[in-house]
Amino acid sequence: MIVVEHCAVSTVDGAGTEYADGHVVMEGDRIVAVGPGRYEGRADGAVRVDGTGCLATPGLVNTHHHLYQWATRGYAQQEILFGWLTELYPVWARIDAGIVHAAATAGLAQLALSGCTTSTDHQYVFPRDGGDILAAEIDAAASVGLRFHPCRGSMDLSVKDGGLPPDSVVEDTDAALAATKEAIDRFHDPSPGAMVRIAVAPCSPFSVTPRLMREAADLARAEGVRLHTHLAETVEEEKYCREIHRCTPVEYAESLGWLGPDVWLAHAVHLDSGAIGKLGATGTGVAHCPSSNGRLGAGIAPVRDLLDARVPVGLGVDGAASQEAGQLGAELRQALYLARLRGGPAALTARESLALGTIGGARCLGRDDELGSLEPGKLADLALWRLDGLGHAGIDDPVAALVFGPPAPLRLLLVGGRAVVQDGALSTMDEPAVAASLAKAARTLREGR
């Protein structure tokens, strides 16, 4: 049993329950009590954590990433998405399981240090001689200690057939489907409290054939797993879909069976009111990636309109080649700022931003029954943020301090009751060794070896 007490608590439950001075009690991998004041129940042999000066929240949920890109940060610094991809595809064609393991370890470690307890990953590049890439990142997640939802991605539409990627990074359609089925059989754990779950994730409208999109959706639904893809990220994608498919990206997704409560889409920046209505009516989720959209100049997603349409919206850091910081905690503030740039200062509140990063992400992943809020019976995934330092001093509202203030250090990060971060440092990994391994992988790719 772990008892965290004497801290502010933001449960992010349906009622928005908060305590200025409260406690959270965890036993095994589950939360057993949340309430005001000191915990007075049975606690024989419990580890008591003094949270004075801290805020307890649910662990953050990252709904979109490309972990392999941690080895290719800093490229194509002034490019829009299509130019950025064109420059990076040949580099990514040289990744292998070793590079992916180093990159995934670094990316997941950085996520943990920024308050993330559950992360997805969208791995869609599988060089023919690259080794067991998906297993490499799953092993990295286990080493860091995060709950992991890798998405087995795929591309089968190369530039010679009207797509954007070169032949060197696409797969045969049948081979991609077979490998996706194998990934589900090998790694997906549907049981309560699972640490690993697989999703099916063809990459994008300009890198995947309609056949792969349709059959991937059929496969996912036959296997009972979720669906993920990029959609409506840029004006160039909108133009591509109108020219090639004679419809908008959301209309294209709908025609292929890619809207529904088992689907979440990365970005969804360029949407008209009809598209937003379709997402809301079908329960299709959105992974909002504010910093990546800013880095690539893609635009500002209509988050307020999506929320008002009852679309599940979570936060994503996106691939580190388009968001070099990789800190999910910082995306709380970025999401708030971008929403207000688009819709004014009332467009998003601090508490709504925290909800995007927690329960909103859990809804996108279909795990809001277990994750995303601090409630008895849910998994013991908790972030305890220090707000007693210079950066947050004097802000009386702890949620506002967390969201408006600078990135807050972690007093404690628990995943299933296990400490992954303590007093701002990783408990599970040697951070300098992780950084050195990542630097070596990045150098290998940059030098073309």
Side-chain angles (χ1 to χ4, degrees):
M1 180 179 283
I2 301 173
V3 179
V4 177
E5 54 194 349
H6 306 306
C7 57
V9 179
S10 180
T11 69
V12 200
D13 64 8
T17 305
E18 297 182 0
Y19 303 105
D21 179 14
H23 63 262
V24 182
V25 183
M26 293 149 284
E27 191 164 13
D29 69 347
R30 297 281 169 170
I31 297 168
V32 296
V34 184
R38 176 182 170 86
Y39 179 63
E40 302 294 347
R42 180 192 61 81
D44 298 338
V47 175
R48 287 190 178 267
V49 177
D50 183 358
T52 301
C54 298
L55 168 67
T57 72
L60 303 183
V61 178
N62 179 36
T63 59
H64 187 62
H65 210 328
H66 308 293
L67 286 164
Y68 73 91
Q69 292 181 14
W70 266 87
T72 57
R73 291 186 294 168
Y75 289 68
Q77 295 175 23
Q78 280 75 47
E79 291 286 353
I80 62 171
L81 176 66
F82 280 17
W84 174 85
L85 286 169
T86 300
E87 180 172 331
L88 279 158
Y89 277 140
V91 182
W92 295 337
R94 299 195 298 272
I95 66 171
D96 59 24
I99 287 170
V100 169
H101 189 275
T105 302
L108 292 163
Q110 181 78 324
L111 283 171
L113 289 167
S114 70
C116 177
T117 52
T118 297
S119 182
T120 60
D121 187 59
H122 189 182
Q123 177 64 48
Y124 57 85
V125 178
F126 293 91
R128 293 171 182 82
D129 58 351
D132 201 344
I133 284 175
L134 196 63
E137 64 172 10
I138 290 172
D139 179 71
S143 297
V144 176
L146 294 196
R147 211 174 296 280
F148 197 41
H149 281 232
C151 306
R152 206 298 177 178
S154 51
M155 299 189 294
D156 70 338
L157 184 67
S158 71
V159 65
K160 69 178 176 59
D161 296 316
L164 190 67
D167 292 346
S168 59
V169 295
V170 301
E171 297 176 277
D172 170 78
T173 306
D174 290 325
L177 289 165
T180 303
K181 173 67 164 62
E182 180 188 14
I184 297 168
D185 292 342
R186 186 177 173 192
F187 297 115
H188 182 67
D189 180 1
S191 64
M195 292 296 290
V196 178
R197 288 189 180 168
I198 300 292
V200 174
C203 186
S204 67
F206 48 84
S207 61
V208 175
T209 62
R211 180 196 160 202
L212 180 53
M213 290 290 286
R214 287 193 192 93
E215 295 190 21
D218 291 342
L219 171 63
R221 287 170 179 142
E223 298 293 329
V225 302
R226 299 181 75 77
L227 286 157
H228 183 53
T229 193
H230 298 91
L231 201 76
E233 183 176 0
T234 66
V235 293
E236 291 78 21
E237 180 190 327
E238 172 97 8
K239 180 180 178 182
Y240 178 91
C241 284
R242 288 188 180 276
E243 289 180 354
I244 302 299
H245 303 298
R246 300 290 186 258
C247 60
T248 67
V250 169
E251 289 169 342
Y252 179 58
E254 182 181 34
S255 73
L256 299 172
W258 268 78
L259 299 184
D262 57 349
V263 179
W264 85 103
L265 307 169
H267 303 297
V269 173
H270 298 278
L271 304 174
D272 59 22
S273 59
I276 293 170
K278 285 182 179 181
L279 298 185
T282 57
T284 305
V286 167
H288 175 40
C289 304
S291 288
S292 175
N293 293 158
R295 203 273 209 189
L296 295 173
I300 301 173
V303 171
R304 179 74 268 157
D305 295 336
L306 290 166
L307 293 175
D308 289 346
R310 303 183 69 81
V311 175
V313 181
L315 291 182
V317 297
D318 204 0
S322 70
Q323 205 281 60
E324 279 79 355
Q327 296 178 311
L328 188 56
E331 294 303 284
L332 301 176
R333 176 153 39 95
Q334 290 291 87
L336 183 87
Y337 284 180
L338 263 66
R340 293 181 177 199
L341 280 172
R342 184 182 176 106
L348 200 70
T349 70
R351 283 161 178 79
E352 287 176 316
S353 187
L354 178 59
L356 293 180
T358 52
I359 193 66
R363 288 178 182 137
C364 286
L365 302 188
R367 297 198 71 175
D368 49 309
D369 61 332
E370 292 191 303
L371 302 172
S373 63
L374 299 177
E375 300 180 75
K378 286 202 169 185
L379 289 164
D381 291 10
L382 174 143
L384 187 64
W385 309 88
R386 294 205 62 156
L387 300 178
D388 56 355
L390 177 63
H392 304 89
I395 305 177
D396 289 340
D397 179 346
V399 176
L402 176 66
V403 176
F404 284 99
L410 287 166
R411 168 77 170 82
L412 185 66
L413 187 76
L414 299 175
V415 180
R418 179 193 182 203
V420 175
V421 177
Q422 296 185 78
D423 295 321
L426 289 166
S427 304
T428 56
M429 308 291 295
D430 177 7
E431 190 172 341
V434 171
S437 179
L438 184 278
K440 180 180 178 181
R443 187 167 57 250
T444 296
L445 282 178
R446 191 175 292 277
E447 294 175 357
R449 290 185 284 124

